[in-house]
Amino acid sequence: MKILVTGGAGYIGSHVVKQLLDKKNDIVIVDNLSTGFQKTINTLKKYALTKKVKLSFYKVDLSDSKKLEAVFAKEKVAGVIHFAASIVVSESVRDPLKYYENNTSNTINLLKACLKYNVNKFIFSSTAAVYGDLEPRYLPAKEDGPVHPMSPYGQSKLFNEKIIQDVAFVNPKFKYVILRYFNAVGASVDGLLGQSTANATHLIKIALETTLGKRKKMFINGTDYNTPDGTCIRDYIHVDDLASAHIKSLSYLNKNKGGVFNCGYSKGFSVREVIDMMKKVSDNDFKVEITKRREGDPTAVVSNNTKIISEMGWQPKYDLKIICETALAWERKI
Ligand SMILES: NC(=O)c1ccc[n+]([C@@H]2O[C@H](COP(=O)([O-])OP(=O)(O)OC[C@H]3O[C@@H](n4cnc5c(N)ncnc54)[C@H](O)[C@@H]3O)[C@@H](O)[C@H]2O)c1
């Protein structure tokens, strides 16, 4: 198949493109390079050559419907995987319109192009942020459970979910998969790709920067949560496992109309466990200080992943050790 990937120059998109190339799909990437990288495109182009498949890149912003439709007119793709978005939760609180514009309005532009050019397979990157701070009785989070986004970022993604479902409802041929990612981390196991995002501030990135001496120390924000070691718990998923969920989603759409699926390990790791693992794999007992809780940090966010496993046959392969090892290898490389 020929698949159009928006945001393919970014972190998760590039890992998915690589697996699509492994499966001999031709790829069309649309990206404005706002947070993605030309060097990632170059790496993927070289990789496509080794696989003897085609990869085309268009530097196009999704707000530019005219240029976007020109890509659809020229490339005649069979499906779209839509990663392109703004993704910084704190920025979305300061600048909500940026998020409703880039994430929601631009998704509408993309859906219009799909309908106009008869592209009927659509896979969308949603997020665990749609769940917000769930009461313990709703954890692990299930796809049909309550959703309460706590930021314009999460809300912009939830709007998109509804818009995609409404489009599918009135267009019988249009099929979709909405994947709600938990925390995507790690780097490709063969070392080809990883996260180059400027100013990433998630826990694993900070631990990497600390162990490599870019930071003198790191902080644990609160050790008085109601968890076994007192620190917050999150569900981390290796980016290659997340990528394979997209490959499964494409096959799923051959026989099914669509659905919403969590992508996580159904297993949380505490902040302390992540830091301890990073210390172990880097063989460095770097300095960690305890500070008070940050406002708005939920105690635990963990997925229930039984739906994607039972309906798509997806199986994650990796664990926290591989996550930390691959992330460390990539951070050393860049
Ligand atoms: N990283 C995570 O842990 C995580 C968790 C949940 C959901 N997601 C979702 O996954 C998707 C990919 O995230 P990522 O971590 O790879 O982020 P990223 O910033 O690395 O990738 C986003 C890509 O989209 C491109 N882009 C942004 N706006 C665009 C526009 N208007 N037109 C064209 N291209 C545009 C950027 O240049 C970039 O290459 C996003 O939709 C994000 O909301 C990510």
Side-chain angles (χ1 to χ4, degrees), residues 6-14 30-37 60-63 82-87 102-103 106 124-129 153 157 179-185 195 197 242:
T6 74
Y11 171 47
I12 302 170
S14 59
V30 171
D31 198 300
N32 65 0
L33 300 185
S34 54
T35 56
F37 296 90
V60 168
D61 192 295
L62 294 184
S63 63
H82 178 33
F83 297 97
S86 301
I87 69 159
N102 197 29
N103 296 359
N106 288 343
F124 173 63
S125 306
S126 190
T127 167
Y153 168 69
K157 292 283 182 170
L179 297 174
R180 288 181 181 160
Y181 311 161
F182 283 66
N183 300 278
V185 282
Q195 188 169 33
T197 321
L242 181 54

Side-chain angles (χ1 to χ4, degrees), residues 82-122:
H82 178 33
F83 297 97
S86 301
I87 69 159
V88 183
V89 172
S90 55
E91 183 191 48
S92 81
V93 175
R94 288 195 305 275
D95 190 358
L97 292 183
K98 173 174 174 181
Y99 280 70
Y100 293 124
E101 201 158 42
N102 197 29
N103 296 359
T104 308
S105 300
N106 288 343
T107 296
I108 294 175
N109 289 346
L110 183 64
L111 287 165
K112 281 183 182 165
C114 288
L115 294 182
K116 187 165 170 186
Y117 289 91
N118 239 336
V119 177
N120 290 314
K121 284 185 172 179
F122 195 88

